[in-house]
Amino acid sequence: MVGDGSYLMMAQEIVTAVQEGIKLVVVLVQNHGYASIGNLSESLGSQRFGTRYRYRSGAVETGGRLDGDVLPTDLAANAESLGADVLRVATVEELRKALLQARASDRTTVVHIETDPLAPAPESESWWDVPVAEVSALESTQAARTTYDTAKRSQRTYL
C-alpha cells in the first residue's frame, strides 16, 4: 500500500516485477500530493507548502506560487504504461472486489483509488522529531516551535 508520493519514488519497481514475472499487488492511494508530509508540514507551521501537485500561478521570477490548477497526474495510467494490470476503484465495495481479483491474478496488479488529501488518518500517538524554525514571523510556526520544544523535552531515547 503506497500513497502517490511514495509511488513516484518506486514506480520503476513495477517494471522490474513485470520483467521478472514477479507478482505484486500494489494498492495505490492517490490524493494528488504528499498528504502525510503535508500533514507534518502543517503541524510544523508550514501550511502544507509544496505538498500538492499544482501548477504555478505565475512565473517563478515574479513570485508565482504553487496555487494554480491541479496537475492532471494519472498514476493509474502510469502503472499501466509500466506493464501492470490496473483496477480503478471508487468505493469500499469496489476495493474489496478488486483486492480479491488482484490476489487471484498471476500478474502484477495495481489497485488504484483516489482519496481526499485532507481526510485525516488515524493518530499514531507517536512523535516525529522534525525541528521547527526557531525564528519566524508566522504565528503558526511560532506555535509549532513551542509544541516542538515541549515534545523534545519529554523525548526518550532507546539506544
Side-chain angles (χ1 to χ4, degrees), residues 7 10-19 24 26 79 82 84 108 110:
Y7 174 84
M10 60 72 67
Q12 69 277 5
E13 301 304 334
I14 291 173
V15 172
T16 303
V18 170
Q19 172 188 335
L24 297 176
V26 178
L82 299 175
T108 291
V110 175

Side-chain angles (χ1 to χ4, degrees), residues 1 14 20 26-27 38 44-45 51 60 64 66-67 69 89 106 117 119 122 125 134 136 144 146 148 151:
M1 181 172 191
I14 291 173
E20 299 300 323
V26 178
V27 177
L44 300 176
T51 59
V60 175
L66 295 171
D67 59 1
D69 290 337
V89 301
D106 60 351
E125 298 184 21
E134 290 184 31
S136 176
T146 300
Y148 173 80

Side-chain angles (χ1 to χ4, degrees), residues 17-116:
V18 170
Q19 172 188 335
E20 299 300 323
I22 299 169
K23 175 192 169 176
L24 297 176
V25 175
V26 178
V27 177
L28 172 53
V29 180
Q30 184 167 357
N31 54 33
H32 301 278
Y34 300 91
S36 61
I37 298 301
N39 190 35
L40 175 63
S41 170
E42 191 169 60
S43 74
L44 300 176
S46 298
Q47 297 84 30
R48 297 180 177 265
F49 174 76
T51 59
R52 297 290 313 270
Y53 306 142
R54 303 190 80 89
Y55 288 104
R56 282 197 186 276
S57 58
V60 175
E61 299 79 21
T62 60
R65 302 179 63 82
L66 295 171
D67 59 1
D69 290 337
V70 174
L71 288 169
T73 309
D74 187 345
L75 298 182
N78 177 262
E80 288 172 332
S81 78
L82 299 175
D85 292 339
V86 175
L87 304 171
R88 295 175 188 249
V89 301
T91 67
V92 172
E93 186 55 34
E94 289 176 358
L95 176 62
R96 285 187 182 108
K97 289 178 183 176
L99 289 173
L100 292 173
Q101 184 178 342
R103 285 183 193 148
S105 175
D106 60 351
R107 292 183 31 82
T108 291
T109 304
V110 175
V111 178
H112 177 271
I113 186 163
E114 294 204 30
T115 62
D116 179 351

